[in-house]
Amino acid sequence: RDLHSFPTRRSSDLAIAREYLAFTDRHRNRWAATLEFKSGAPHGFQEDFPASVSRLVAEVERAMAPLFPPGREGERRLAAAVLWASLEGINTLTAADNLHMVAPTTAWDMAQSLVVNYMAGLKQKQK
């Protein structure tokens, strides 16, 4: 299934994952170039890439804010980083055309499962 064919009526928990997967699907070469980035490398990404990743993780963190009361910012930051890194893993397998080795499904199906279950776990933990 194409990432753009899914209904837009999804929970807000899925909005960032949906947009991120759609972006990387549309801009596969740009996204793949970021995978080549190495800290300290002598090229233009040296300054821009870490800042871009920080902005993306900050967006995920903002979306998770209602789940973490004041004083738990470190936990929120970690949860956002774990979720973003997990989506990156799905993207990496997809870009390498190896997702089928993990499961006979789509990147979007995996992302939905990841986000829905991870967020449900975080919500349950807050009760």
Side-chain angles (χ1 to χ4, degrees), residues 100-121:
H100 67 279
M101 292 185 339
V102 176
T105 190
T106 66
W108 178 239
D109 287 343
M110 289 188 83
Q112 286 182 96
S113 179
L114 168 68
V115 173
V116 167
N117 290 301
Y118 190 68
M119 295 300 287

Side-chain angles (χ1 to χ4, degrees), residues 8 10-11 21 30 39 50 53 63 70 86 95 97:
T8 56
R10 294 280 180 197
S11 74
L21 288 177
R30 177 187 278 176
S39 294
V53 170
S86 299
D97 200 25

